Amino acid sequence: MKFKKKLFINLFLLVLTNTIYSQDNNKKLFYTDAFFVTSNENNFEYIKEIEGYETNKETYPVKIYYKSGKIFLTGNTLDKDRVLLHGKCLYFYENGKKKRIANYENNKLIDKQFYYYENGLFKLESEIEVSKNKKEYSIKIHNFFDENNDQKVTNGEGEFVDQESDNETSFGVIKNFVKEGIWKGRIIDEKVEFTEQYNKGKLTSGNSIDSLNNKYSYNLIRETASPKKGMNNFYSYVKNCGVIPKNIDGYVTGKILVIFDVNEKGALENVSAYSQDQFGVTENALKLISKYENWIPGKYRGMLVKTHFTLPITFQ
């Protein structure tokens, strides 16, 4: 079965590649992981197509495909080697139905967002409001329909079921476009239950209970992993630790993309890069970054979690 599946995927890529290059030899395909970072045929979740890859532009049309070959996403990216979404972006269910219309600015959601059920019915109209310093954002819920097409939130007032992912759901009251009062939810696969208190859209407190009845308190839903000495220290380390070997210093230009995880204990894992170079710069960078220790692990609803990082290193 694994052989047949791999054969099917390779055949799909062959057909897709032939189709693309018969029309335009300036498009390029990549395997990617779940974060749209370039991967390989043995470990990938999606297939990425970049239009105009051999040119230098402000934005590049990008398409992301499911393993089945069905379209998952269409939009524009600011970087041809990384997916940094910018402008209007369309998401699709694997059955071909529209899933979501999103608006991005430098890979961050902005303005209006529209969601649809898998059967094509309209689900949700929301809006992202970003602070002037662009460091904080809030989500406004305008209109929401349940799966029976009954409107539950009208012009920012009503009851809302928030499905952040297929694995997580919560429900509560929307008042003046934002969450208000007590909200209850669960993370399905992990069998985690949580209760949160909101005041005018701001989380004031939260409590979660895992499958072993361990309890966690929090006032931030997500806390990203960080170096104990701060991110500036980490960036300085990367800049000054001699990523470029001395024998080729001054001869290297370009960019490498380093990928790594910080696990629940604060240790680095899966340090890798999507490409290699003939000078050994990438290999050297991976070794040096792997030695940087003392991270504070990330948290999600008070629970320790693994955090994924993508770090571009540019040489000029």
Side-chain angles (χ1 to χ4, degrees):
M1 290 298 293
K2 289 184 178 179
F3 174 77
K4 290 182 179 178
K5 184 177 182 180
K6 184 175 180 179
L7 178 62
F8 167 75
I9 291 170
N10 287 336
L11 285 173
F12 157 67
L13 276 176
L14 179 63
V15 172
L16 183 59
T17 303
N18 288 339
T19 301
I20 288 172
Y21 281 91
S22 65
Q23 297 173 8
D24 185 347
N25 61 5
N26 203 21
K27 295 182 180 180
K28 195 167 183 178
L29 297 176
F30 301 87
Y31 295 101
T32 80
D33 63 15
F35 301 96
F36 304 147
V37 175
T38 301
S39 181
N40 57 62
E41 63 179 288
N42 297 316
N43 183 25
F44 76 100
E45 291 296 327
Y46 299 101
I47 298 165
K48 176 180 69 174
E49 172 196 319
I50 298 292
E51 183 177 328
Y53 185 83
E54 302 300 333
T55 62
N56 292 315
K57 303 189 292 186
E58 290 186 0
T59 62
Y60 300 84
V62 58
K63 291 182 180 179
I64 306 292
Y65 298 91
Y66 291 101
K67 286 184 176 181
S68 64
K70 301 291 186 180
I71 190 70
F72 170 74
L73 174 158
T74 65
N76 288 280
T77 174
L78 294 170
D79 193 312
K80 58 186 175 183
D81 293 313
R82 291 191 296 158
V83 178
L84 297 178
L85 296 172
H86 192 75
K88 184 178 179 181
C89 180
L90 299 180
Y91 290 81
F92 298 88
Y93 290 103
E94 202 160 359
N95 66 5
K97 295 285 188 180
K98 183 166 54 182
K99 182 177 185 178
R100 180 178 161 203
I101 302 173
N103 289 290
Y104 288 89
E105 183 178 71
N106 195 18
N107 215 41
K108 294 183 178 180
L109 291 170
I110 62 169
D111 301 332
K112 289 288 186 75
Q113 316 291 318
F114 302 92
Y115 298 77
Y116 300 82
Y117 288 106
E118 198 165 357
N119 60 7
L121 291 176
F122 182 75
K123 178 180 181 180
L124 169 67
E125 175 192 357
S126 64
E127 183 178 7
I128 308 294
E129 282 198 349
V130 183
S131 62
K132 290 184 179 180
N133 61 12
K134 296 189 177 182
K135 293 184 178 181
E136 297 181 356
Y137 73 94
S138 61
I139 302 176
K140 288 189 172 183
I141 306 300
H142 286 259
N143 297 287
F144 169 68
F145 294 78
D146 66 15
E147 292 180 342
N148 298 316
N149 204 32
D150 293 328
Q151 189 164 3
K152 297 297 184 180
V153 176
T154 304
N155 296 326
E157 303 284 337
E159 296 179 346
F160 180 50
V161 178
D162 190 0
Q163 291 180 297
E164 296 189 26
S165 69
D166 293 336
N167 189 41
E168 184 174 324
T169 184
S170 61
F171 60 91
V173 170
I174 296 296
K175 185 176 181 180
N176 195 26
F177 300 99
V178 295
K179 293 181 177 181
E180 186 65 43
I182 296 176
W183 277 65
K184 294 183 178 293
R186 59 194 176 109
I187 304 173
I188 300 168
D189 291 346
E190 290 76 12
K191 297 181 181 178
V192 172
E193 305 284 336
F194 59 87
T195 302
E196 297 170 347
Q197 179 76 42
Y198 287 87
N199 180 28
K200 296 180 180 179
K202 300 290 185 181
L203 174 67
T204 58
S205 64
N207 294 281
S208 58
I209 304 176
D210 65 19
S211 59
L212 299 177
N213 208 35
N214 295 312
K215 299 180 180 180
Y216 308 86
S217 297
Y218 54 94
N219 52 26
L220 290 174
I221 291 179
R222 189 183 301 276
E223 297 178 61
T224 301
S226 61
K228 290 183 179 180
K229 294 183 180 180
M231 286 302 294
N232 287 337
N233 179 270
F234 175 63
Y235 290 139
S236 296
Y237 170 82
V238 173
K239 181 179 179 180
N240 300 320
C241 67
V243 169
I244 301 178
K246 291 183 179 180
N247 62 317
I248 61 169
D249 191 12
Y251 295 94
V252 176
T253 60
K255 178 171 59 178
I256 61 174
L257 199 62
V258 177
I259 309 148
F260 61 92
D261 296 317
V262 179
N263 69 18
E264 296 87 341
K265 295 181 179 180
L268 293 184
E269 292 182 342
N270 307 318
V271 182
S272 61
Y274 85 88
S275 64
Q276 298 290 327
D277 64 274
Q278 60 180 326
F279 302 106
V281 175
T282 304
E283 182 180 358
N284 199 39
L286 298 182
K287 288 179 180 179
L288 292 169
I289 289 174
S290 297
K291 293 179 181 179
Y292 189 93
E293 299 178 343
N294 298 319
W295 287 73
I296 300 170
K299 292 183 179 181
Y300 185 70
R301 290 195 153 95
M303 300 171 289
L304 296 175
V305 295
K306 181 182 291 187
T307 303
H308 182 80
F309 284 88
T310 301
L311 177 68
I313 302 177
T314 303
F315 306 104
Q316 296 178 342

